[in-house]
Amino acid sequence: LVYEARGSVTAEARALFERARAADPNDFRARFYLGLARQQGGDPRAALQEWADMMALAPSDAPWLAMVRARFEATAIDAGIDPATVQPSEAARLDAATRRDAAPPAAAAPSGDGAAAIAALPPAERERAIRAMVESLAARLESQPDDLEGWRRLGRAWLVIGEAARGREAFARAAALAPQRADVLADYAQTWSNELGEGRPLPPEFVAVMRRILAIEADHADALWFVGLAEAAAGNNARAIELWERLLQRLPANSPEGREVRTRLERLRAPR
């Protein structure tokens, strides 16, 4: 939705990001775009607060951390706000401290002053520095191929810098390590997002991943929707109706998604 709106976080997209964050407060993609929505809505300080909390909670080796810092600082400058006046909230600081106490020691990665230095570079140099960080993570994972979370971080990093094919490959490696985790498979499935759209056939590999998710989590909303689309396209209307009826039970009654599902069900049930 954001891509279709040329970078604008629409009301529908914002509502979906809110739902994503409610389901998982550590969904950093959702938090970033919610901050962007606040900036675009004319409340840069709220955007800065969202991003400050996000950076406080982020893993120190998150490849996207430097880019978020750069957006944070640029937004503050544009709004005439001293970045030093926007600090992580008390809740974010406590959460971050709890994670540090509970987490095992992490491998060294650019953070703190190093990340700030990268954020301060001219755009072309910053992009090279970030790419070097991502390449470094990729090289490490080749020698530590069982690092599930590392592959997930790498997949997200490749997508952020526009390397869709390499992002998909990294998420495929993660999916191979955790074939029974719906969240890992959902990360893999999202790499087909730019290939989905009204009137376009669903990629068979994408449908296969969605079927695997549905086998693990019978009420997974995205899997119910897309597998239903695949069944309807194949003429298996009874199966599509079954899946979408289950999906409809999970959606708010007056939501745009709920209305779309009801419309699809009516079409399938209509006499031919």
Side-chain angles (χ1 to χ4, degrees), residues 75-246:
T75 299
I77 292 170
D78 289 344
I81 298 172
D82 181 356
T85 66
V86 184
Q87 297 296 318
S89 66
E90 183 65 20
R93 288 198 295 269
L94 288 173
D95 193 358
T98 300
R99 293 186 198 194
R100 283 195 298 271
D101 290 343
S111 60
D113 293 342
I118 290 175
L121 293 171
E125 293 183 31
R126 184 166 63 242
E127 289 179 12
R128 285 195 293 272
I130 291 169
R131 180 171 286 275
M133 291 168 61
V134 179
E135 295 280 7
S136 176
L137 175 59
R140 180 180 69 77
L141 288 171
E142 290 301 328
S143 61
Q144 299 175 7
D146 294 332
D147 183 352
L148 171 63
E149 293 306 318
W151 286 114
R152 298 179 76 189
R153 286 197 302 273
L154 181 62
R156 288 190 287 268
W158 283 133
L159 294 184
V160 166
I161 64 176
E163 294 277 4
R166 298 177 82 171
R168 181 175 298 171
E169 180 182 349
F171 281 127
R173 297 286 292 269
L177 289 172
Q180 295 302 313
R181 278 187 54 177
D183 59 331
V184 176
L185 293 174
D187 280 343
Y188 184 24
Q190 70 151 338
T191 65
W192 278 275
S193 60
N194 289 337
E195 301 170 40
L196 309 177
E198 190 67 32
R200 301 174 67 179
L202 295 175
E205 300 93 337
F206 170 79
V207 174
V209 175
M210 281 295 166
R211 291 189 188 278
R212 288 167 60 191
I213 293 172
L214 194 60
I216 297 165
E217 191 174 316
D219 290 326
H220 192 285
D222 284 345
L224 287 169
W225 170 248
F226 285 110
V227 176
L229 284 178
E231 297 291 2
N236 302 324
N237 290 359
R239 176 59 171 162
I241 289 171
E242 175 197 346
L243 294 170
W244 286 344
E245 284 179 340
R246 280 161 49 191

